[in-house]
Amino acid sequence: IRFNAEVTGIEKMPTGFALRLANGTQIGAECVVLSIGLQGDLRKLEAPGVEGFENIEYQLDDPGEHIDETIVVIGAGDSAIENAVALTKDNRVTIINRKSEFSRAKEANRILVLDAIESGVLSCLYDASVARVESGALTFSTPEGEVEIECDRVIARLGAIPPRAFLQTCGVEFISPNREALPKVSEFYESTVPGLYLIGALAGYPLIKQAMNQGYEVIEYILGNHVEPADEILLSERLQPFGLPKVAEGIARIQANVPILSDLPPLLMRELMLEATIHRLGPGEVIFERNDYTNSVFAIIDGVVDIHIVEEGGHQIVTLRRGEFFGEIGLIAGRRRSATARSAGESLLIEVPRLTILKLISSFDSIRRQVDEVAVFRQIRAYISHDLTLKDLAHVVSTAQVKLYKQGEVLFREGDPGDSLHLIRRGSLTVSRRVAGKDIVLSYVPAGEYVGEMALLSDSPRRATVRAAVPTETITIDGSAFMALLDQKPDLRVQVESLFRERAAEGALMEVATDAGDLIQFLVAQGITEATDVLLIDESLCTRCNNCETACAETHGGISRLDREAGPTFASVHIPTSCRHCEHPYCMADCPPNSLHRGLDGEVYIDDRCIGCGNCVTNCPYGVIQMAELDEHRGLWGRVFGVERAGKSDPIQRSAKAVKCDMCKDIDGGAACVRACPTGAAIRVHPEEFMSIAALTRRS
């Protein structure tokens, strides 16, 4: 042991290594194990004004040192969670998560932070990034706009990066040029320098138990003793049924055949295999159906998969082969599957769950780049024409940019030059014009469509203002590249010009039908554009008989999932309090037992594993989920249906569970609330469909 000894360099020698110390001493070694962690290379907060804020700390030694302070903890990993929860004992704490979930934390910490948020001892701001820092306050950008939080102290747990320069001087190679990239290590933790081993956080495994296990395994390996990794049996059981009996060989084959996974280090690949599922399919077997609500990503290890696309002009098949992946559109857009995927022969696939692929996209540039490139090409082709080839779209794709817009943010304004086309990748837009000094909403445009072609075709300024109805992501295409494509494809020009004429005619009609625009604007303001299925009541037909609520209660064990009287109303359109089955369900974001699911028809429902934590109730912005005792025949909002449970004063404590509308998914005939309405006032519709009906009705 050398105390107070700083290693300044490690040089590979013909017979081993020479370690240079800061005091001039040199030490010889046959092998070197680096387990120095990353705490010397903490990532710092970067935002305007950060230099002027004195109380910013990047690690927390003792939470007890801080009492009666307002503290902001930035980060969503294990360290940030542990610091935030520990500080809540004597302080007012807000944790900032730049994503919508705590997907990078270990499960115990994820449950810990969600319990703290649910109980109210910890506040949380999701989907937030630091916009600027001022004296005594931080301003965060969120999908709904800017939020300012005054605070005494900031604890920024932003992770750390490997000491890249030091490792590179030792000869260690990295996965990519990205500054956050990990060093390359073998399954035995050996770097690209033979005899130099990297373990723990330095190799991408920050947990103490991982470093301890790896330390044991690497020393035994160096001594020539074979130690089977703890996950070997589990992985072998997963791979054997598919003809991949040896774990190392099986993983190597998968990585060789699937380029999107080829850059993953062997150890991370082993972790992925514990979460992924392998499928062996015969000819014609369905992988997923069109309109399914699933969001995992599949890659073809061997075989052929046919993607069946249904269009107005007929049916088209796109064939994918070994190494290609599919399903990324559902992951990005949150919408139903747009096509049916079938195995065209004997096929071997790997299915990667949503959270896992999101971690990979955020951690590996190569994976994010491949997903984005393929997704952009496929989405451009899907939105414009499936007949277009990669060669046809090469120039268009090269100009494409993925852009994010906050709710209410303007993509372009009336009168702006028309220089681009926007394909709506996720979210939705509203189109409005200024008429008689007032903004009139002309239309609602959901994901899967595009805007901006009218100015390009007419070679004139923008005719309308387009805003994001909800947080929205678009693929922006250069206008000149798009027009060049139309010049090359006369049939496509005819198709686009036809849409142009339809939109121009609709816009002219909507300008005089201001009530229809007002209705659309009302629905957008109420968040209906996030829904996939919404219950609406026509107040001009409703007799207030309450049959809808009674039927709901009788169908669901005496507990109503809707409140007819609650909710906003515009003209005769009433939005009762009932689940909208959002495209990106807030309720599903943080469910510890994973009891919230999305059915094949889009319904979001809760299974029997609910533990009553209430996270879904907190996360739902529309107040449509409630906690209830399932044996009490009582409406969620206080009204009694059927027979009350006898002995209400019974002192026995019954745990409540979350309940919400499930669209009567297991009942023939559809939603009970709609079937029970004697006048037809209650309807369940997709927002896109209703807004079209509403506009047509108002115009007539």
Side-chain angles (χ1 to χ4, degrees), residues 2 12 27 30 67 86 107 142 395 422 520 558 604-605 626:
R2 300 291 180 97
K12 177 70 174 173
I27 299 174
E30 294 179 30
I67 297 175
E107 186 65 13
T142 74
H395 183 47
H422 288 267
I520 292 176
V604 178
Y605 64 94
Q626 300 293 324

Side-chain angles (χ1 to χ4, degrees), residues 149-199:
I149 300 179
E150 295 182 356
C151 62
D152 302 310
R153 188 177 307 278
V154 175
I155 309 292
R157 302 310 305 262
L158 307 177
I161 54 177
R164 189 176 186 122
F166 172 72
L167 293 176
Q168 286 178 324
T169 61
C170 300
V172 175
E173 295 178 11
F174 283 71
I175 293 169
S176 76
N178 188 314
R179 68 173 186 168
E180 299 181 10
L182 296 170
K184 294 180 180 178
V185 293
S186 73
E187 61 182 310
F188 301 109
Y189 316 104
E190 191 169 22
S191 72
T192 51
V193 179
L196 179 59
Y197 299 84
L198 312 178
I199 65 171

Side-chain angles (χ1 to χ4, degrees), residues 258 260-261 276-277 279 287-288 294-300 324-332 337 349-358 360-361 367 371 378:
V258 181
I260 193 175
L261 302 178
T277 304
H279 303 275
I287 302 161
F288 55 72
T294 54
N295 50 23
S296 53
V297 172
F298 294 82
I300 306 172
E324 295 189 86
F325 61 89
F326 57 97
E328 78 291 341
I329 303 299
L331 177 78
I332 293 167
R337 299 288 194 186
L349 311 178
I350 181 170
E351 179 182 4
V352 184
R354 172 177 168 272
L355 282 180
T356 303
I357 196 69
L358 289 177
L360 296 179
I361 289 172
I367 295 177
V371 171
R378 288 176 179 170

Side-chain angles (χ1 to χ4, degrees), residues 133-361:
V133 181
E134 299 165 344
S135 178
L138 279 74
T139 300
F140 297 93
S141 295
T142 74
E144 289 75 34
E146 291 191 342
V147 175
E148 183 180 272
I149 300 179
E150 295 182 356
C151 62
D152 302 310
R153 188 177 307 278
V154 175
I155 309 292
R157 302 310 305 262
L158 307 177
I161 54 177
R164 189 176 186 122
F166 172 72
L167 293 176
Q168 286 178 324
T169 61
C170 300
V172 175
E173 295 178 11
F174 283 71
I175 293 169
S176 76
N178 188 314
R179 68 173 186 168
E180 299 181 10
L182 296 170
K184 294 180 180 178
V185 293
S186 73
E187 61 182 310
F188 301 109
Y189 316 104
E190 191 169 22
S191 72
T192 51
V193 179
L196 179 59
Y197 299 84
L198 312 178
I199 65 171
L202 193 63
Y205 300 90
L207 301 183
I208 292 174
K209 67 177 183 180
Q210 291 174 320
M212 293 176 68
N213 288 336
Q214 292 167 359
Y216 170 74
E217 290 175 21
V218 74
I219 296 300
E220 291 297 315
Y221 175 75
I222 291 171
L223 295 175
N225 301 324
H226 175 71
V227 177
E228 190 174 80
D231 60 8
E232 187 76 13
I233 295 176
L234 293 173
L235 289 173
S236 181
E237 290 174 350
R238 288 194 169 214
L239 296 176
Q240 278 183 353
F242 304 99
L244 304 168
K246 294 186 178 180
V247 174
E249 293 177 9
I251 289 177
R253 177 181 162 190
I254 292 171
Q255 288 194 277
N257 289 7
V258 181
I260 193 175
L261 302 178
S262 62
D263 285 343
L264 282 184
L267 298 176
L268 288 182
M269 187 64 190
R270 293 176 75 98
E271 283 194 9
L272 178 142
M273 293 303 301
L274 291 173
E275 299 174 354
T277 304
I278 297 178
H279 303 275
R280 183 178 293 281
L281 303 173
E285 283 195 59
V286 174
I287 302 161
F288 55 72
E289 293 272 10
R290 181 173 181 263
N291 290 327
D292 282 359
Y293 265 112
T294 54
N295 50 23
S296 53
V297 172
F298 294 82
I300 306 172
I301 302 171
D302 279 308
V304 178
V305 170
D306 285 338
I307 308 297
H308 296 257
I309 301 166
V310 178
E311 299 175 303
E312 289 185 8
H315 175 261
Q316 185 178 5
I317 297 177
V318 175
T319 298
L320 304 178
R321 304 184 186 281
R322 175 194 294 177
E324 295 189 86
F325 61 89
F326 57 97
E328 78 291 341
I329 303 299
L331 177 78
I332 293 167
R335 288 183 165 244
R336 299 173 186 263
R337 299 288 194 186
S338 59
T340 296
R342 293 178 182 271
S343 174
E346 293 289 337
S347 299
L348 191 64
L349 311 178
I350 181 170
E351 179 182 4
V352 184
R354 172 177 168 272
L355 282 180
T356 303
I357 196 69
L358 289 177
K359 288 180 188 177
L360 296 179
I361 289 172

Side-chain angles (χ1 to χ4, degrees), residues 522-563:
F522 163 74
L523 293 171
V524 169
Q526 298 303 320
I528 298 301
T529 53
E530 293 188 279
T532 62
D533 183 280
V534 61
L535 176 64
L536 299 175
I537 294 176
D538 186 343
E539 292 281 79
S540 66
L541 298 176
C542 180
T543 64
R544 283 65 174 173
C545 65
N546 226 37
N547 283 1
C548 55
E549 203 168 338
T550 303
C552 180
E554 292 178 348
T555 305
H556 295 94
I559 299 177
S560 174
R561 265 69 167 166
L562 72 95
D563 186 351

Side-chain angles (χ1 to χ4, degrees), residues 316-451:
Q316 185 178 5
I317 297 177
V318 175
T319 298
L320 304 178
R321 304 184 186 281
R322 175 194 294 177
E324 295 189 86
F325 61 89
F326 57 97
E328 78 291 341
I329 303 299
L331 177 78
I332 293 167
R335 288 183 165 244
R336 299 173 186 263
R337 299 288 194 186
S338 59
T340 296
R342 293 178 182 271
S343 174
E346 293 289 337
S347 299
L348 191 64
L349 311 178
I350 181 170
E351 179 182 4
V352 184
R354 172 177 168 272
L355 282 180
T356 303
I357 196 69
L358 289 177
K359 288 180 188 177
L360 296 179
I361 289 172
S362 65
S363 302
F364 290 87
D365 277 350
S366 61
I367 295 177
R368 178 187 53 76
R369 187 173 58 252
Q370 289 182 71
V371 171
D372 273 349
E373 287 175 355
V374 171
V376 166
F377 163 66
R378 288 176 179 170
Q379 287 178 310
I380 291 175
R381 185 173 64 177
Y383 292 10
I384 298 176
S385 174
H386 283 290
D387 293 328
L388 298 172
T389 65
L390 181 57
K391 183 179 179 181
D392 295 332
L393 290 172
H395 183 47
V396 172
V397 171
S398 69
T399 72
Q401 293 181 304
V402 176
K403 294 187 176 182
L404 299 173
Y405 296 91
K406 300 172 186 175
Q407 183 173 352
E409 188 174 354
V410 173
L411 280 71
F412 52 79
R413 294 187 182 278
E414 186 177 352
D416 286 351
D419 56 2
S420 59
L421 183 78
H422 288 267
L423 312 182
I424 310 169
R425 193 182 197 193
R426 178 169 60 89
S428 57
L429 307 172
T430 58
V431 181
S432 63
R433 290 195 69 181
R434 195 80 176 164
V435 178
K438 178 184 177 183
D439 281 330
I440 302 298
V441 175
L442 304 179
S443 61
Y444 154 78
V445 189
E449 298 191 21
Y450 56 86
V451 294

